[in-house]
Amino acid sequence: MDNCIFCKIANHIIPSSIVYEDDYVMAFLDTSQVTKGHTLVIPKKHYDNFLSTPHDIVSRVMIVAQRIGQIFIKDFKAKGVNILTNCYEAAGQSVMHFHVHVIPRYIASDGFRLEFKKNDELKSLNLPAIANQIKENLDHNKD
Ligand code: AMP
Ligand code: ZN
């Protein structure tokens, strides 16, 4: 993709602080560090987001994300790690090339917030019906 900034990083057209690279995957520091070491892991080939990426590439990307997360715990002495990916603008995706954030957490009060807040307006939802809807679609969309 000509105008994709992460394609340019993957192809070494623009510089980045690379922490890992193989034929399929690259990992580099996010220029907006939310905590020290905040890393992005990407496939070198362009896919818009996690949802449109082939299984084997998702697997390669996640294995590198896992290894970097392990290093944050073991060697950076982080107390925790968030591993997350945003899909589409509505979910906060700003660069439309699949990437996984690996965010070390040193203290709970580091300013980074990912809150799963209970929404009281949704307490009357029919959970078994929703579960069934997802399950039926999974059954019909096997690949
Ligand atoms: P997202 O909001 O999930 O799409 O995250 C995109 C991330 O890419 C943001 O955290 C940006 O700080 C980061 N980013 C954008 N441009 C660059 C760049 N040239 N090098 C490293 N990180 C970047
Ligand atoms: Zn790209």
Side-chain angles (χ1 to χ4, degrees):
M1 293 277 282
D2 286 352
N3 267 327
C4 172
I5 189 151
F6 287 179
C7 282
K8 287 182 182 152
I9 288 175
N11 291 310
H12 299 269
I13 293 166
I14 65 167
S16 65
S17 301
I18 297 171
V19 303
Y20 177 84
E21 183 173 10
D22 64 28
D23 288 347
Y24 302 93
V25 178
M26 185 184 267
F28 52 94
L29 296 185
D30 193 308
T31 44
S32 301
Q33 294 275 287
V34 300
T35 62
K36 189 185 85 182
H38 176 189
T39 297
L40 301 174
V41 188
I42 65 166
K44 284 188 165 178
K45 193 169 168 199
H46 183 96
Y47 299 99
D48 286 348
N49 61 43
F50 167 78
L51 298 179
S52 57
T53 302
H55 292 175
D56 58 324
I57 301 295
V58 167
S59 169
R60 288 179 185 277
V61 167
M62 292 312 288
I63 288 167
V64 173
Q66 183 190 52
R67 288 181 61 199
I68 293 168
Q70 289 166 343
I71 284 162
F72 287 152
I73 297 293
K74 195 168 155 283
D75 301 307
F76 278 53
K77 308 299 175 205
K79 298 278 191 292
V81 182
N82 289 106
I83 294 173
L84 62 96
T85 185
N86 300 323
C87 299
Y88 300 109
E89 227 175 292
Q93 186 179 5
S94 62
V95 178
M96 300 300 156
H97 178 130
F98 171 39
H99 54 280
V100 174
H101 294 260
V102 185
I103 303 171
R105 305 299 299 277
Y106 302 99
I107 45 167
S109 58
D110 55 16
F112 178 71
R113 279 172 76 83
L114 184 69
E115 197 178 4
F116 295 94
K117 202 167 145 217
K118 193 171 161 214
N119 184 343
D120 283 337
E121 285 174 23
L122 299 181
K123 67 181 171 212
S124 60
L125 281 178
N126 183 341
L127 296 188
I130 296 166
N132 212 33
Q133 187 183 359
I134 296 170
K135 184 181 172 310
E136 279 176 6
N137 280 287
L138 279 173
D139 291 342
H140 291 144
N141 295 301
K142 290 196 181 109
D143 50 28

